[in-house]
Amino acid sequence: MTSSLTAPRLNLNEPKWDQSTYLGRAKHFFTVTNPLNVFLTNHQLDEAKKIVEAYKRGQLPNATEAQLWQAKYRYDSAFHPDTKEKMFLIGRMSAQVPMNMTITGCMLTFYRTTPAVFFWQWFNQSFNAIVNYTNRSGDSPVSNSQLGLSYALATTGAVTTAVGLNSVVKKAPVIVGRFVPFIAVAAANCINIPMMRKQELQQGIPVFDEEGNRIGESKVAARKAILQVVFSRICMAVPGMSIPPVIIHRLEQGGFLKRYPFMNAPIQVTLVGVMLVFATPMCCALFPQKSSIGSNRLEPELRATIKQSGGSIDRVYFNKGL
């Protein structure tokens, strides 16, 4: 049952915690990236959407405040903030930890042979392409040709970097070779994300005033959004791809993995998983999801639009994507 409200008690358009602080953003993303959300059924997600949309319309669902926040975060975990479409399961942020711990753990384990490097870098970029498409900013469609080009360039860049560095570090200490997968992943992120969001760079992303009124599309905002996402993604990979190699190296020197070589991959995957549980939300929180830029830095035509509207807008806001 629902009943009319004079004004909703909660603002479900915004996160529960203050997004102007890093701690508030971190709490928000710990909830958004909760791996348990992967197990939510379509029925549970659709029910969460109904509750949130009813509440926003000024109706009061038969739910407590805690249940309203739970519905909001279930909704946010599965539906794109701009298109409102239900996102592909493995592209959701809640799937980041289970998917990345498996892929990264295998990249760190099987990095010595060219076929293994090729396969796991290809697999990783296939996954990244899905994530980048799913979490793109704005409501701009991505063409199949753009999707294919981004995928091909990122995969080629990652494989070339990994194979090339492996040949360079053959005579270096073993520990040096263990960091090759991270460098390849960082290089691929610098290619994959801008290419996947090329249309945003060409046409701009929606920017809004503080009240949520759409002003237009900005290429300047798109560049800022993409740079923030690239930086966050690289930082996200640092703990899981730098700490486990050191631990595994010590285990090999101590003889443990020589006696139990079959434990290499499970240990790597587990270590990466532990790192990602914390690194994923903490790095997503580096920049506000609802990012902003000074209106004086916008394109001349947008500044003219703001001036013509008679508004004194100092900053505009946009969804940076993930």
Side-chain angles (χ1 to χ4, degrees), residues 20-63:
S20 66
T21 68
Y22 175 77
L23 183 59
R25 295 195 297 271
K27 288 179 178 179
H28 167 68
F29 279 109
F30 265 105
T31 307
V32 171
T33 62
N34 182 355
L36 296 178
N37 286 340
V38 170
F39 300 105
L40 294 174
T41 65
N42 282 328
H43 175 71
Q44 288 174 306
L45 294 173
D46 291 337
E47 282 298 310
K49 182 179 181 181
K50 287 179 184 177
I51 292 173
V52 170
E53 291 181 343
Y55 194 83
K56 288 180 179 179
R57 288 195 301 267
Q59 298 172 320
L60 179 60
N62 187 20

Side-chain angles (χ1 to χ4, degrees), residues 80-152:
H80 193 278
D82 293 325
T83 66
K84 310 304 180 186
E85 296 175 352
K86 188 179 291 181
M87 296 183 286
F88 187 50
L89 179 61
I90 65 172
R92 299 173 193 169
M93 293 310 293
S94 55
Q96 289 297 292
V97 171
M99 290 297 297
N100 271 323
M101 65 184 284
T102 303
I103 296 171
T104 304
C106 289
M107 280 196 295
L108 293 175
T109 303
F110 310 110
Y111 68 94
R112 291 174 178 170
T113 67
T114 299
V117 168
F118 182 90
F119 175 80
W120 286 109
Q121 290 294 341
W122 163 80
F123 196 95
N124 185 48
Q125 292 313 313
S126 299
F127 171 65
N128 283 342
I130 293 172
V131 173
N132 293 335
Y133 174 81
T134 304
N135 293 282
R136 67 198 182 281
S137 174
D139 46 19
S140 302
V142 179
S143 66
N144 290 334
S145 59
Q146 183 180 336
L147 184 65
L149 180 61
S150 169
Y151 173 68

